[in-house]
Amino acid sequence: MLEGILVDLVPYGETYFDCLPSWENSIAAYWGSAGDRPILSKATGKQWYQEWVESLDKRGEQRIEFGVQTKDGTPIGQMGINWMSNTHRFANLGAMIGEPAYWGGGYGTDGFILLVDYLFNWLDLRRIFIGTMAPNVRVQRMMEKVGFVYEVRRRGMWFVDGAWQDNLNYGLLRDEWPGRAALVEKLNIRPK
């Protein structure tokens, strides 16, 4: 478990499988998956996740998934590594706060700072990156707040609500990372 100020990152398990349909069938999935609007049952969610993990294992890719929970143990989202290269020491990240009631309160930022610190200081990665669709201004602000640099725009990549949207990629190099303590102080993350 990685302990933060507002949230903890915990092993992704049964509790999160049970939450997945609610998150995937809501506005959270729309923002987290570039406009997709899936309909997902609990059984399909478990099957989908298991098949995905097995397919990654077959390709030799590594995936690390954490559940995001509040300090009182309420599951509110997930974040982790979508895929990683050990040889080149980089990873593509994914993050979703599935409970809209926790949007805008610093919970995602606190969790994301924990994740980044883990990747640089425990896994010894050199570079990490994440993408989002252009209308997802909330995620763009968070990336910039925690030090990520806007790197590339892939034009017309996502078809969202009847219009083509750009994909924006943000990256961070290890030598640009000020450290978790410095960001917690700079962003004034405090217990609620």
Side-chain angles (χ1 to χ4, degrees), residues 66-84:
F66 290 102
V68 181
Q69 70 179 23
T70 62
K71 295 310 258 181
D72 69 2
T74 303
I76 63 169
Q78 61 191 43
M79 56 182 62
I81 296 174
N82 291 329
W83 54 273
M84 173 170 79

Side-chain angles (χ1 to χ4, degrees), residues 97-156:
I97 298 298
E99 298 293 339
Y102 292 89
W103 292 355
Y107 296 92
T109 301
D110 186 37
F112 203 72
I113 291 170
L114 276 173
L115 177 64
V116 170
D117 199 61
Y118 170 75
L119 298 175
F120 284 144
N121 294 322
W122 285 85
L123 297 186
D124 195 29
L125 295 182
R126 185 191 62 79
R127 171 179 159 64
I128 53 180
F129 61 99
I130 190 168
T132 191
M133 63 178 173
N136 198 347
V137 175
R138 190 176 61 252
V139 167
Q140 294 168 46
R141 280 194 308 257
M142 184 182 80
M143 291 300 101
E144 291 166 0
K145 267 194 316 193
V146 301
F148 277 65
V149 175
Y150 170 70
E151 293 182 332
V152 69
R153 175 181 296 265
R154 290 186 175 89
R155 297 172 296 141

Side-chain angles (χ1 to χ4, degrees), residues 11-86:
Y12 196 79
E14 195 68 30
T15 300
Y16 292 88
F17 291 137
D18 291 343
C19 295
L20 194 59
S22 172
W23 297 340
E24 289 291 333
N25 296 334
S26 76
I27 191 69
Y30 172 84
W31 292 112
S33 60
D36 288 349
R37 297 185 188 269
I39 303 299
L40 194 69
S41 68
K42 283 186 179 184
T44 303
K46 286 181 183 182
Q47 179 183 351
W48 170 80
Y49 185 79
Q50 188 59 40
E51 288 172 357
W52 191 38
V53 168
E54 288 171 6
S55 75
L56 290 173
D57 289 343
K58 288 177 186 171
R59 294 191 313 247
E61 295 176 359
Q62 291 183 315
R63 176 173 173 73
I64 298 173
E65 188 76 31
F66 290 102
V68 181
Q69 70 179 23
T70 62
K71 295 310 258 181
D72 69 2
T74 303
I76 63 169
Q78 61 191 43
M79 56 182 62
I81 296 174
N82 291 329
W83 54 273
M84 173 170 79
S85 168
N86 287 324

